[in-house]
Amino acid sequence: MADGRYNVLFLSNRNSARSIFAEAVLNRIGRERFTGFSAGLRPASQLDELAIDVLRVAEYRPEGLHPKHWKEFAKADAPPLDFVFTLCDIEAGEPLPHWPGRPVTGDWRYPDPARYSDQRERRTALAATLGGLERQILAFMQLPFRSLDEISLRERLKELGQGISFDDHASGPNMARKA
């Protein structure tokens, strides 16, 4: 964090949609100060095809994005992490992982896209998740990192995680398209 650049890891269950979205969003709209990564607790073998389509419609390039196991980021040669966000769905019974060590952590709740069997509902939920992550990441990027001590920063991230509900995700334009 000392040089003003921040490494951020987004964790989800399979790393096939939600955390991939967050990685793509942060690397596009935050590329000057942030580097986004994503991983899964039990990573899928490939990205969710519908999630790839939602990314393309929103004008994101999915090339290079792929599921990864969280242990890749716990290795000695992994990039040092400043922030770790979990994107789990408590209501679907997904576990809430906790990252050991020094990164500042936060829990952002997004529904598991696998809980929707209807393709139209899944597409709507995925698009809403992408829009919600765009707004939440923009709000995260506006935090005054340098002027907050670690305890204050953790509190602000907790507030940010509680301040956006899934209903908020469903409305509004795709903001990152303009970035």
Side-chain angles (χ1 to χ4, degrees):
M1 262 196 259
D3 66 356
R5 286 204 56 83
Y6 304 96
N7 289 329
V8 181
L9 176 64
F10 297 97
L11 291 172
S12 64
N13 192 32
R14 290 178 303 281
N15 189 218
S16 64
R18 294 170 290 183
S19 53
I20 292 289
F21 285 176
E23 177 183 2
V25 169
L26 187 64
N27 284 331
R28 181 156 101 188
I29 65 177
R31 66 182 161 262
E32 307 198 351
R33 291 183 39 220
F34 298 88
T35 302
F37 303 96
S38 67
L41 300 173
R42 293 177 295 280
S45 59
Q46 61 188 19
L47 295 181
D48 180 313
E49 288 295 323
L50 199 51
I52 293 171
D53 188 52
V54 168
L55 279 173
R56 285 191 175 123
V57 167
E59 300 177 8
Y60 285 94
R61 298 177 55 112
E63 293 78 26
L65 298 172
H66 63 281
K68 299 162 284 301
H69 198 281
W70 69 268
K71 290 181 181 179
E72 288 184 34
F73 296 93
K75 295 179 181 177
D77 62 345
L81 299 172
D82 300 301
F83 298 94
V84 176
F85 292 103
T86 58
L87 308 173
C88 293
D89 183 358
I90 297 172
E91 293 174 14
E94 289 186 314
L96 290 177
H98 293 283
W99 194 263
R102 300 255 336 142
V104 177
T105 61
D107 296 318
W108 293 355
R109 308 287 186 250
Y110 286 89
D112 183 357
R115 78 188 225 192
Y116 300 98
S117 57
D118 178 77
Q119 287 293 84
R120 184 181 302 156
E121 285 180 355
R122 276 189 71 232
R123 178 179 296 280
T124 300
L126 285 166
T129 295
L130 179 58
L133 283 165
E134 288 172 332
R135 288 185 295 282
Q136 201 161 16
I137 288 170
L138 282 169
F140 163 70
M141 290 172 44
Q142 300 304 314
L143 291 175
F145 298 104
R146 291 178 189 226
S147 66
L148 293 174
D149 62 34
E150 189 171 328
I151 293 171
S152 299
L153 184 55
R154 287 181 191 279
E155 188 58 34
R156 295 286 295 271
L157 292 177
K158 184 178 178 182
E159 291 169 6
L160 181 60
Q162 294 170 344
I164 298 178
S165 69
F166 187 68
D167 291 338
D168 294 332
H169 304 167
S171 62
N174 180 329
M175 296 172 67
R177 199 176 303 166
K178 298 174 184 142

